[in-house]
Amino acid sequence: MRRDQLEGAVREALSHQVAVTRPLAADPAGQAIRRANRIRRRRAGTGVALGVVATVLIGAGMTHLSGGTDQQGPPIVVIGDPDLSARPLPTASVGAPSPTPDAPNGLLLAGALIDADGKRLSLPGVGPAERAHRLPNDQGLLVVGAPTTAGRSLWVAQDDGLVQVLLAGAGQIVLAPDATQVAWRDGGDLLVAGVVGTQLIGSVRIAVPDSAQPVRFVGNSVLVRLDPNRPGHALWRPGADELTAVPEQDTLNVYGSLPDGRLVGQVPANSVAGTCLALLDPKRATKAARTACGTQLSPDGLGGMSDDGRWLLVNGRVGAAERSLLVDLARLGTTLDAVPAGPAVSGAIAWTSGSDVSYVDNSGQLVRVDVRRVRAGEQAEPIPVAGLEPGDRPVLVSGS
């Protein structure tokens, strides 16, 4: 072979090698792309499955809570994922401490929670409130809305500002003392459900008269006032098909229960005008077991008892003035001996110990009552609430 032929053959072989693109022994980019595609397909399948399961569970919960009613219209129980857009940014939701008076469990004021140290946490979505109760284990608050033309609402507000609607369009709403149960009026029915996290579970219902309203929990039963304009109560144990008959239809208000189960309530005086304080036996259909008279109690029913059942703070009349009165239930006899404690109560009260109680008066100021001082003749004075604007109504947070 001539030299020029050999050179031509070498050039042709080299040109063929350059023209043919050979795959790399290792292709990291291709491997990454293929791996990403596999992950995307796997995540898509998992997301669809979770979506189906969540839809089934939420649908089942809605059916369970709203089932059993023959009423028309949308269900008032709302269950679902909380609105994450309602979670405030920490830098925007927590304000600097302000000179708020000492309220151990805090105050609700103008859509914000003000704790005992004066820090403010915005609670977007929570409307005008009537009551607020702290959930067990510091999991947040249950907030009962003020009555509106659309009914009442119930919110759970977590300590980071996340707000979830539990009820909307309800009638009267009452909470158990430990905030683990809620009772409410829905059309012609009375319902009770447990509170777990941000949901209501295990609801049961009973048909009640049009004028009947839940008042409070008594153990595992619900005390029902049959007519707000007339005396008389009944007891309903959830799961029972009827209200417990009350032969004596004269109970005006009930303030709480003693450790032995007896209720402390208000009844009309028999021989003179006015009202008396009575111990009622729920085992005998709330029949009065003892009655103490002599001090005019207010018919508004506002008041509450200490956790140990020793003290009762209740509204009453001293001369021509409406005042809050302190009653020693351990010394309750035939004569009601009540000591003036401070301005009249305007809403919920919060006992923080066996000897301290707080409430908001009619002017929207905070009142802190020390039992020892009141018994020594020193009445409590209202303390202005920082940031209170005309028309605002602070709500004292109860519970612990």
Side-chain angles (χ1 to χ4, degrees):
M1 179 180 292
R2 296 194 308 269
R3 180 184 180 97
D4 57 344
Q5 291 177 333
L6 179 61
E7 290 178 353
V10 171
R11 289 192 183 96
E12 183 176 1
L14 291 177
S15 64
H16 282 303
Q17 290 181 1
V18 173
V20 176
T21 302
R22 299 182 180 276
L24 295 175
D27 185 8
Q31 292 177 356
I33 292 172
R34 288 191 293 273
R35 188 182 302 115
N37 288 335
R38 287 196 300 270
I39 293 174
R40 187 181 302 110
R41 288 193 296 270
R42 191 160 52 241
R43 287 181 176 175
T46 303
V48 171
L50 290 177
V52 171
V53 172
T55 301
V56 171
L57 289 177
I58 293 174
M62 287 289 290
T63 302
H64 177 64
L65 284 174
S66 60
T69 178
D70 295 329
Q71 301 176 55
Q72 301 299 320
I76 64 171
V77 180
V78 180
I79 297 181
D81 292 334
D83 183 2
L84 297 180
S85 65
R87 186 192 295 269
L89 295 175
T91 56
S93 62
V94 179
S98 59
T100 301
D102 185 15
N105 294 313
L107 286 170
L108 281 181
L109 179 61
L113 172 65
I114 307 174
D115 67 13
D117 297 325
K119 294 181 180 179
R120 302 173 67 95
L121 174 67
S122 175
L123 299 177
V126 172
E130 186 176 70
R131 277 164 292 152
H133 197 292
R134 183 151 294 276
L135 287 165
N137 302 321
D138 291 329
Q139 295 178 344
L141 303 176
L142 278 181
V143 182
V144 178
T148 67
T149 55
R152 296 176 185 269
S153 297
L154 177 67
W155 300 277
V156 57
Q158 298 180 8
D159 288 336
D160 61 356
L162 180 62
V163 175
Q164 171 73 32
V165 180
L166 296 184
L167 290 173
Q172 183 72 22
I173 299 174
V174 297
L175 306 176
D178 58 2
T180 59
Q181 296 184 85
V182 57
W184 72 97
R185 181 70 191 256
D186 173 17
D189 293 341
L190 175 64
L191 292 88
V192 170
V195 181
V196 177
T198 59
Q199 292 187 354
L200 300 180
I201 64 170
S203 68
V204 293
R205 66 173 64 212
I206 185 175
V208 293
D210 291 341
S211 57
Q213 299 288 348
V215 175
R216 68 172 61 248
F217 279 83
V218 179
N220 291 323
S221 298
V222 180
L223 185 69
V224 181
R225 184 156 187 171
L226 300 176
D227 190 332
N229 299 315
R230 300 175 57 187
H233 292 75
L235 285 170
W236 174 52
R237 186 177 183 85
D241 294 331
E242 60 182 5
L243 301 177
T244 301
V246 179
E248 295 188 64
Q249 301 288 319
D250 59 356
T251 308
L252 297 171
N253 296 294
V254 175
Y255 302 109
S257 57
L258 297 172
D260 62 7
R262 289 180 298 171
L263 306 179
V264 178
Q266 180 188 19
V267 297
N270 293 326
S271 57
V272 296
T275 60
C276 304
L277 199 64
L279 300 184
L280 311 171
D281 189 352
K283 297 180 181 179
R284 302 173 59 197
T286 66
K287 182 177 181 179
R290 183 188 305 174
T291 305
C293 305
T295 300
Q296 180 62 41
L297 301 179
S298 173
D300 59 17
L302 296 175
M305 297 166 49
S306 59
D307 294 338
D308 59 5
R310 172 68 186 275
W311 304 102
L312 168 67
L313 189 74
V314 61
N315 279 346
R317 186 169 293 276
V318 179
E322 286 283 342
R323 306 289 291 177
S324 63
L325 306 176
L326 183 67
V327 180
D328 186 351
L329 296 175
R331 299 182 179 181
L332 189 66
T334 57
T335 300
L336 179 57
D337 183 18
V339 180
V345 178
S346 69
I349 69 173
W351 285 89
T352 55
S353 69
S355 60
D356 292 292
V357 59
S358 301
Y359 62 91
V360 176
D361 68 4
N362 291 318
S363 65
Q365 299 184 91
L366 184 69
V367 181
R368 184 77 178 271
V369 175
D370 186 309
V371 170
R372 297 181 183 86
R373 292 185 178 181
V374 168
R375 288 181 56 81
E378 182 181 346
Q379 297 188 36
E381 296 293 334
I383 307 170
V385 176
L388 184 65
E389 299 292 338
D392 287 344
R393 295 295 304 172
V395 175
L396 190 68
V397 177
S398 58
S400 58

